[in-house]
Amino acid sequence: MTGDDLHVTLAFLGACGEQAAQQAFDCALAQARTMPTTIDLQARAWALLGSSQSPSAVALEVADAGNEIHRLIADHRPQLYDAAQARPDRRPPRPHVTVARLDRRLPTSPRQQLAHALGQRPPPEARLRLNALALFTWTEQRDERLFRRVRFCPLGKH
């Protein structure tokens, strides 16, 4: 992942299709002006996300002062799922920044080693700044990367 790929997911739409994802992003654009222009975050802990048996992403859980990210996700994702006609995620928001994706073919042992190594390492002290909405969709060549950014808009504007 590059710096442009670091993100907080408002709603993971799954395999809803490109047109439905575009509709959800249009909905997000309409909501963008009600969002703060920047959100500063501090990393709290490393986490492996996805299935406990086969995690698919490395993430930084974030300190969410005032529950700002939690509230942003909870307030906006229901409309995004509706706009995409996607199955909603009913789990409570888990504010985190996705840092890297793990190859699905990676065996269990290296995943366990990674989990152990991350557990021994403190999170970075740098502040993370969110200032835009982006739509990521699946890439055509998934052996290089899973997602690509196809649309972008600054937060707090439309």
Side-chain angles (χ1 to χ4, degrees):
M1 289 191 132
T2 67
D4 286 344
D5 291 338
L6 297 176
H7 66 277
V8 172
T9 302
L10 286 181
F12 182 78
L13 303 174
C16 68
E18 180 100 18
Q19 183 177 356
Q22 295 284 355
Q23 289 173 304
F25 192 74
D26 289 341
C27 178
L29 288 177
Q31 298 174 33
R33 71 187 91 136
T34 68
M35 298 177 188
T37 56
T38 60
I39 301 169
D40 290 321
L41 303 172
Q42 181 66 49
R44 185 174 58 81
W46 290 103
L48 290 178
L49 302 180
S51 158
S52 61
Q53 298 300 315
S54 184
S56 59
V58 176
L60 285 168
E61 293 183 333
V62 295
D64 191 15
N67 286 327
E68 190 170 18
I69 293 294
H70 187 279
R71 197 169 46 253
L72 190 70
I73 295 168
D75 288 351
H76 295 283
R77 77 178 178 179
Q79 295 90 331
L80 303 180
Y81 289 127
D82 285 348
Q85 298 181 339
R87 191 184 76 186
D89 183 350
R90 304 258 185 241
R91 296 174 296 180
R94 183 178 181 183
H96 66 277
V97 175
T98 303
V99 176
R101 292 277 172 193
L102 301 177
D103 189 318
R104 292 182 297 187
R105 299 167 294 206
L106 187 66
T108 300
S109 179
R111 288 176 199 273
Q112 292 171 336
Q113 291 170 356
L114 178 60
H116 177 74
L118 290 175
Q120 304 300 310
R121 177 176 290 250
E125 292 184 20
R127 285 207 166 293
L128 306 168
R129 174 163 280 183
L130 301 178
N131 60 6
L133 286 174
L135 172 62
F136 287 83
T137 63
W138 302 104
T139 59
E140 306 268 328
Q141 296 179 326
R142 299 196 51 183
D143 55 331
E144 294 177 20
R145 59 189 296 165
L146 292 177
F147 301 100
R148 65 186 171 94
R149 187 174 75 181
V150 294
R151 290 182 65 191
F152 177 88
C153 174
L155 283 174
K157 299 178 181 168
H158 177 47

